[in-house]
């Protein structure tokens, strides 16, 4: 220790002498540097102290007599902006700090994780859809209090929480009616894809309303319901009925009669019928129910937007918070949310990607453990410390696992094919995706050409001729992206590629990203 002290003192003397020599040579040191060093020396008397860092004037609160309030307001705004930048990411990281890592080799833990991330597992709380649920619930409450019929249409992209939210609204409404002392409504939920024919929905409604009722051959279930809701005597003794019809677009027929008659049941004078229809098409009410609009009976529309990156992270976090251990690295979840939000915003796709990443981790650990066991058997040695470090590093789903899962989900041969297409063929696919989002299952070649021409016109891109357009349709048909008949404008066109694959392939180009929004 004395030797070290004497060495430090010698170095301090040398540095002082060097400073004096530098100050004596006025030409070799700039004036500004001398002044700054002198000020620091005066302000900090100890030679080992560091000079105090002064805030810039624009960030000081008391920089001028009149800037106090402005400075405080600026500081508060900066804090709010910093809090808004990444609240979900910060919360996600903080929630993972207090939990231990999971063990993928534990059968019970693996089963619990898979169940938490399964699409069929309903979460205890539905986040990021509070506003939409409130609108639907207030609508149902008002109609229930007034004993008045009404219709509501819930629309949005696939995987945006429409069906799940309506299930929650149904439970909220029944509980609210019970607490308010009102008669609880009769609730009937049906998925229209389960119907053998579209008109069967009226038989299902009548069976729920009057289970013992048997009709003669001359009266159909629809006619009976229409007569029932036209008579005051019968409607006064009946309970209010809430019907939730999921996949409503399956009721669209050529003459649109079934869909129209279903919504018309809510317009009868003594109807006690609250209808909530769920489908993907945003403009279904405008295109398929024009008579309701002319009669001022158009259903209220509630739109569910595609999930954003932060919303997907929050929903995944809510599902994983029920577990008592850490499964994913925060960066891995963020990568999944960013990619899925950019492609489709489909929460079901995000859950599928996470489950795929877990399977990749499980296969990797199984292979690594097998190699370690074989190596230890050959050498007769097993380093316990190295094994525990290996287990800690590999017990979480990392970014590389998630990247492989995303690649397996979205990087299909169809995606590569779409990316390599010429620009006008990509525009044709973009126009087809936009057209099918309206709820149609197919279209004519002429309708597709018109949609393609509209995109070219709005983007100031010269379109190709009619013959070349038909040729592009044939090329896309041969590559398995479109299904087209002959070169006839009356022939039908359908998409053979998945819409999410087309969106994922084109979303890297700003032009197509704007077209598909």
């Amino acid at each position: 220790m004395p030797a070290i002290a004497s060495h430090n003192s010698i170095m301090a003397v040398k540095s002082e002498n060097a400073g004096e020599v530098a100050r004596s040579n006025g030409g070799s040191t700039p004036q500004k540097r001398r002044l700054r060093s002198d000020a620091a020396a005066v302000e900090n008397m100890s030679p080992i102290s560091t000079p105090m860092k002064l805030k810039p004037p624009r960030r000081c609160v008391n920089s001028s007599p009149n800037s106090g309030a402005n400075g405080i307001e600026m500081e508060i705004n900066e804090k709010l902006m910093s809090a808004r930048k990444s609240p979900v990411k910060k919360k996600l990281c903080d929630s993972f700090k207090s939990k231990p890592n999971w063990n993928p080799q534990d059968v019970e833990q693996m089963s619990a994780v898979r169940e938490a991330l399964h699409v069929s597992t309903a979460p205890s709380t539905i986040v990021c859809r509070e506003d939409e649920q409130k609108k639907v619930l207030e609508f149902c409450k008002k109609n229930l209090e007034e004993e008045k019929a009404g219709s509501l249409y819930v629309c949005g992209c696939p995987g945006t929480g429409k069906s799940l939210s309506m299930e929650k609204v149904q439970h909220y409404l029944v509980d609210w009616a019970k607490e308010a002392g009102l008669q609880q409504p009769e609730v009937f939920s049906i998925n229209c894809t389960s119907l053998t024919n579209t008109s069967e929905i009226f038989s299902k409604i009548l069976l729920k309303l009057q289970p013992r009722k048997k009709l003669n051959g001359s009266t159909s279930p629809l006619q009976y319901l229409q007569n029932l809701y036209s008579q005051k005597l019968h409607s006064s003794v009946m309970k209010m009925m809430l019907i939730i019809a999921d996949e409503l677009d399956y009721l669209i027929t050529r003459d649109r009669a079934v869909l129209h008659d279903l919504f018309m049941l809510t317009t009868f004078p003594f109807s006690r019928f609250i209808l909530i229809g769920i489908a993907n098409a945003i403009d279904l009410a405008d295109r398929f129910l024009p008579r309701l609009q002319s009669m001022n009976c158009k259903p209220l529309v509630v739109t569910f937007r595609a999930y954003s990156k932060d919303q997907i992270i929050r929903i995944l976090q809510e599902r994983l918070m029920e577990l008592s251990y850490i499964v994913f690295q925060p960066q891995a979840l963020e990568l999944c949310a960013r990619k899925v939000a950019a492609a489709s915003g489909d929460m079901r796709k995000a859950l599928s990607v996470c489950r795929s990443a877990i399977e990749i981790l499980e296969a990797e650990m199984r292979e690594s453990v097998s190699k370690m066991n074989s190596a230890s058997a050959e050498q007769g040695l097993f380093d316990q410390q190295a094994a525990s470090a290996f287990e800690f590093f590999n017990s979480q789903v990392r970014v590389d696992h998630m990247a492989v899962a995303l690649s397996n989900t979205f990087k299909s041969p169809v995606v590569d094919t779409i990316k390599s297409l010429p620009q006008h063929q990509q525009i044709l696919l973009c126009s087809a995706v936009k057209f099918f989002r309206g709820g149609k299952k197919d279209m004519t070649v002429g309708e597709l050409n018109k949609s393609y021409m509209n995109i070219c016109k709005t983007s100031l891109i010269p379109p190709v001729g009619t013959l070349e357009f038909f040729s592009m349709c044939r090329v896309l048909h041969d590559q398995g992206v479109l299904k087209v008949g002959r070169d006839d404008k009356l022939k039908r066109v359908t998409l053979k590629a998945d819409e999410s694959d087309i969106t994922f392939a084109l979303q890297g180009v700003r032009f197509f990203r704007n077209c598909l929004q």
Side-chain angles (χ1 to χ4, degrees):
M1 293 300 295
I4 296 174
S6 60
H7 175 73
N8 290 339
S9 60
I10 292 171
M11 295 300 295
V13 170
K14 284 184 178 181
S15 62
E16 277 187 308
N17 294 337
E20 290 177 1
V21 171
R23 281 192 293 271
S24 63
N25 298 333
S28 61
T29 305
Q31 183 70 12
K32 286 186 179 180
R33 187 174 296 176
R34 274 208 317 276
L35 290 175
R36 206 176 294 130
S37 61
D38 291 343
V42 171
E43 201 167 64
N44 306 290
M45 300 302 294
S46 173
I48 61 173
S49 62
T50 58
M52 182 181 67
K53 294 183 179 180
L54 296 176
K55 290 183 178 181
R58 58 185 173 86
R59 296 188 65 181
C60 292
V61 174
N62 300 321
S63 58
S64 65
N66 299 324
S67 65
N70 294 334
I72 294 172
E73 186 177 354
M74 186 185 301
E75 197 169 347
I76 292 173
N77 289 336
E78 287 180 359
K79 289 181 179 179
L80 288 174
M81 290 300 294
S82 62
R84 288 175 183 175
K85 284 181 180 178
S86 57
V88 176
K89 185 177 178 181
K90 183 178 180 182
K91 184 180 177 183
L92 184 63
C93 295
D94 292 342
S95 65
F96 287 166
K97 289 179 181 178
S98 59
K99 294 182 180 181
N101 288 337
W102 75 313
N103 181 13
Q105 297 177 353
D106 190 322
V107 178
E108 293 184 359
Q109 290 188 14
M110 177 64 73
S111 176
V113 171
R114 284 177 171 167
E115 184 178 357
L117 295 174
H118 202 276
V119 179
S120 61
T121 303
S124 56
T125 57
I126 301 176
V127 295
C128 305
R129 287 295 178 240
E130 294 82 1
D131 294 340
E132 292 83 355
Q133 291 181 36
K134 184 179 178 181
K135 288 180 183 178
V136 178
L137 186 60
E138 291 299 325
F139 170 82
C140 295
K141 282 182 179 180
K142 181 181 177 182
N143 288 5
L144 205 59
E145 285 178 329
E146 300 176 357
E147 295 187 350
K148 178 183 175 183
S151 59
L152 183 143
Y153 176 58
V154 175
C155 58
C157 299
T160 52
K162 301 185 296 296
S163 303
L164 195 60
S165 296
M166 293 307 102
E167 290 180 11
K168 290 294 181 182
V169 167
Q170 166 189 330
H171 296 305
Y172 293 153
L173 184 65
V174 173
D175 294 340
W176 171 82
K178 187 177 180 180
E179 293 175 1
L182 299 175
Q183 190 179 26
Q184 297 182 23
E186 192 77 39
V187 180
F188 176 51
S189 298
I190 184 170
N191 191 309
C192 297
T193 58
S194 64
L195 300 172
T196 54
N197 58 76
T198 55
S199 59
E200 189 186 1
I201 189 170
F202 302 114
S203 303
K204 299 280 188 181
I205 294 172
L206 183 58
L207 183 64
K208 183 70 176 180
L209 190 63
Q210 297 181 357
R212 298 181 180 180
K213 183 66 180 177
K214 293 183 178 180
L215 300 177
N216 54 35
S218 60
T219 304
S220 67
L222 174 61
Q223 291 173 343
Y224 182 84
L225 289 172
Q226 290 172 344
N227 295 331
L228 191 66
Y229 290 134
S230 301
Q231 302 175 21
K232 187 175 183 179
L233 179 64
H234 291 86
S235 61
S236 61
V237 297
M238 284 191 305
K239 296 170 65 175
M240 292 290 292
M241 188 173 188
L242 173 65
I243 296 181
I244 301 176
D246 202 355
E247 304 291 351
L248 192 69
D249 49 352
Y250 276 82
L251 298 182
I252 299 175
T253 55
R254 190 177 296 272
D255 57 358
R256 306 167 189 175
V258 175
L259 190 64
H260 181 267
D261 291 336
L262 179 64
F263 277 89
M264 281 296 293
L265 286 176
T266 63
T267 65
F268 281 80
F270 304 108
S271 177
R272 303 171 69 81
F273 190 84
I274 302 175
L275 174 64
I276 299 178
I278 308 173
N280 298 332
I282 295 176
D283 59 346
L284 182 142
D286 295 328
R287 295 175 57 226
F288 299 105
L289 301 171
R291 282 184 58 191
L292 292 181
Q293 190 170 2
S294 63
M295 297 168 58
N296 292 327
C297 300
K298 181 183 175 182
L300 177 67
V301 178
V302 178
T303 304
F304 281 60
R305 303 294 178 188
Y307 285 115
S308 65
K309 182 199 77 172
D310 289 342
Q311 288 175 332
I312 293 176
I313 291 178
R314 187 181 172 193
I315 294 170
L316 290 174
Q317 175 190 10
E318 290 292 332
R319 285 177 174 262
L320 294 172
M321 280 181 67
E322 299 179 0
L323 304 174
S324 59
Y325 34 81
I326 303 175
V327 180
F328 294 87
Q329 288 183 351
Q331 298 86 349
L333 285 183
E334 186 178 359
L335 175 64
C336 171
R338 188 168 63 248
K339 292 293 185 182
V340 173
S344 59
D346 189 339
M347 192 61 217
R348 294 176 297 186
K349 187 77 73 174
L351 293 173
S352 175
V353 170
C354 289
R355 286 168 59 87
S356 177
I358 289 173
E359 293 174 358
I360 293 170
L361 170 65
E362 184 183 17
E364 180 186 88
M365 289 201 67
R366 195 184 305 115
E367 182 181 358
S368 300
V369 168
S370 175
K371 289 181 179 179
M372 290 178 64
N373 291 337
S374 61
S376 62
E378 290 176 0
Q379 299 175 3
L381 299 172
F382 189 76
D383 190 351
Q384 190 68 27
Q385 186 176 3
S388 61
F390 168 81
E391 182 180 355
F392 174 80
F393 180 74
N394 287 273
S395 60
Q396 292 185 28
V397 176
R398 303 188 304 273
V399 174
D400 54 326
H401 300 137
M402 190 64 72
V404 174
L406 286 165
S407 178
N408 294 339
T409 303
F410 291 107
K411 286 273 188 177
S412 63
V414 176
V415 173
D416 296 333
T417 300
I418 296 171
K419 284 184 176 181
S420 62
L421 291 174
Q423 183 189 37
H424 280 276
Q425 293 183 22
Q426 292 176 339
I427 295 175
L428 191 153
L429 283 179
C430 182
S431 61
V433 169
K434 290 188 66 176
F435 192 91
F436 287 129
R437 281 179 179 174
K440 280 195 171 184
K441 303 299 180 183
D442 58 9
M443 62 173 137
T444 64
V445 177
E447 289 173 331
L448 179 59
N449 189 18
K450 184 178 178 181
S451 178
Y452 160 80
M453 295 284 286
N454 289 336
I455 291 181
C456 291
K457 184 177 179 180
T458 55
S459 306
L460 302 178
I461 297 175
V464 299
T466 305
L467 294 178
E468 189 174 350
F469 178 83
F470 288 148
S471 177
M472 290 195 304
C473 291
R474 283 199 303 270
V475 170
L476 294 175
H477 174 83
D478 294 339
Q479 292 182 341
V481 181
L482 280 181
K483 183 179 180 181
V484 192
R486 299 177 182 176
D487 295 343
D488 187 352
K489 288 189 177 182
L490 297 179
K491 292 300 179 181
R492 313 304 294 181
V493 180
T494 56
L495 274 178
K496 292 187 69 177
D498 192 75
E499 181 183 331
S500 61
D501 287 340
I502 298 175
T503 306
F504 182 79
L506 300 179
Q507 56 95 19
V509 182
R510 181 180 299 177
F511 167 73
F512 294 112
R513 187 164 61 246
N514 294 336
C515 287
L516 292 170
Q517 283 180 352

